[in-house]
Amino acid sequence: MTTSPIPATPAEVPIRKAASVLLLRQAAAGFEVFVQHRVNTMDFAAGMVVYPGGRVDLQDGQAAGEAELDPLVLSDHVQRWAHTSVLAEGPERAPHLAGEVLFAARREVFEETGLLLDPGQLHPWANWVTPAGFPRRFDTYFFVAALRAGQEPVHQTTEAVISKWTSPEALFAALERGEVKMMRPTQRTLLDAMELGSIERILSSKTVISPVHPNPEDSQSSNPVRDSERQPRS
């Protein structure tokens, strides 16, 4: 009697933490957001419009362990991330893990735009987790940051062909015309900000953040987002 070999179970793709930042500035009508158009040869999010950001590295954990962050800032971040993997290792480790993603966001913005943000400028905004079945999976922490007078990001990353300020309305109009592509998390996080209408209301929003696990079939689609993925904000 012959037997067929048992099919191998695909290796589980590890989920890596990442940070991404919506840099905002006041405009005549509403606000503008700083975005990057990634090059078409990238192995992730090729050709997409994204925010400055990237993976959490070991140096971010080291920075979180060595820096003296404002306790009020860190406490607020732990509270806002209370339903995410920041609390996965228990409340004692939560401040360190919250600091880790905060420093990753700060480092990535500096590396990609030359702008060094004050930690207090970075406000937790959303958490998206890549569903199973993708070759790369990220547990991404989105922040919003309102820039102060004299703070001006520049284009200095080789991962993008251009970096620029744009109004959300103009960006979505370009998406509808097929001129740009935006992954679902990028669209949804910006639409949530647009619904609040002003930087002041965005920064004062204290909605508890829950991880979003998008539909695997369209989690990286550049089609308009679905209403079912919207999260209420106060």
Side-chain angles (χ1 to χ4, degrees), residues 67-79 95 98 102 119-120:
E68 294 185 5
L69 284 172
D70 183 334
L72 293 178
V73 170
L74 193 55
S75 176
D76 177 67
H77 283 224
V78 170
Q79 183 178 1
L102 171 60

Side-chain angles (χ1 to χ4, degrees), residues 103-150:
F103 275 100
R106 190 171 184 248
R107 175 184 54 78
E108 286 289 342
V109 168
F110 178 70
E111 292 177 354
E112 297 184 359
T113 75
L115 182 63
L116 187 61
L117 296 172
D118 184 289
Q121 288 181 267
L122 289 156
H123 298 266
W125 186 246
N127 177 228
W128 283 66
V129 182
T130 309
F134 287 87
R136 289 178 178 80
R137 299 186 67 193
F138 295 100
D139 179 9
T140 305
Y141 291 79
F142 288 88
F143 295 81
V144 291
L147 300 195
R148 300 165 180 162

